[in-house]
Structures are given as C-alpha cells and as structure tokens.
Amino acid sequence: QVRLVESGGGLVQAGGSLRLSCSASGTPIGAKTMGWYRQAPGGQRELVASVTNGDSTNYADFVKGRFTITRLYAKNIIYLQMNSLEPEDTGVYYCKAGFIVGPRGEHWGQGTQVTVSS
C-alpha cells in the first residue's frame, strides 16, 4: 500500500521561507506525477505545483516565481521550496502521487500545516 508522508510545515513570518518534503513508500514503481496541493481554512483544495517523472513542472499562477518544486531523480520524493511567503499562503499542504501502473490511481498524504503571520 502506498503511503505518503509530508514534513516541513510550520509557522513563519511574511517574507520568510519554508521547505516541504514528501516521500511516497510502499511501491518500487515510480509515480507518473507528484504534486502539492493546499487547502486554506474554509476553502477548497487547489493545485500549488506538480512535477512528472519526466521533470515537467506545472505551477499555479499565484506561486510562480516564489515556489519551486523538485523531484529526487528516480525516486518518489518531492520538495517544495517556498520563498517570499504571504499570509494568503496559509493552509494545509497535501502531497499527491499519481500512478498509471502498479498502485494505479491517486494517493494522498495527511497534510502539513503552513501558517504565515503578517
């Protein structure tokens, strides 16, 4: 069974930085796509950034130029470097891994809280 574990969340002042990590275990198969999503209080879960196994990346407009997603080569491990954080970035950040073979489908982590104070 695929298990995703996120880490790196916390409390930071506006303008600060955080680095999130996500590791997917339980399968030797590489995920087709891995990504970060976030959910603000009272809001819906939305895409922040994603990366494919070919290293193609996709970013939400509201994080372009501030956040960078990277993937450890040939591993189901991703990072999200978040710079110039704003109070609007506050929320629970979830990691998702999508497989097209093996454990097919989408798998989610439990989330990590990011709080940006003004």
Side-chain angles (χ1 to χ4, degrees), residues 67-87:
F67 293 7
T68 302
I69 188 170
T70 54
R71 182 169 180 171
L72 200 61
Y73 180 74
K75 300 285 186 183
N76 289 333
I77 298 173
I78 59 171
Y79 305 97
L80 186 68
Q81 179 66 42
M82 304 187 294
N83 299 328
S84 302
L85 282 162
E86 304 167 351

Side-chain angles (χ1 to χ4, degrees), residues 17-97:
S17 299
L18 284 173
R19 186 182 190 228
L20 305 183
S21 301
C22 171
S23 177
S25 61
T27 177
I29 300 194
K32 173 67 174 177
T33 303
M34 295 187 71
W36 291 98
Y37 291 70
R38 72 184 187 189
Q39 187 166 13
Q44 294 190 344
R45 197 171 296 188
E46 58 186 354
L47 172 70
V48 174
S50 64
V51 59
T52 70
N53 55 4
D55 278 337
S56 293
T57 57
N58 181 42
Y59 293 93
D61 287 342
F62 53 76
V63 302
K64 284 182 179 177
R66 299 189 299 127
F67 293 7
T68 302
I69 188 170
T70 54
R71 182 169 180 171
L72 200 61
Y73 180 74
K75 300 285 186 183
N76 289 333
I77 298 173
I78 59 171
Y79 305 97
L80 186 68
Q81 179 66 42
M82 304 187 294
N83 299 328
S84 302
L85 282 162
E86 304 167 351
E88 292 75 21
D89 295 317
T90 293
V92 179
Y93 283 67
Y94 296 91
C95 177
K96 186 181 85 169

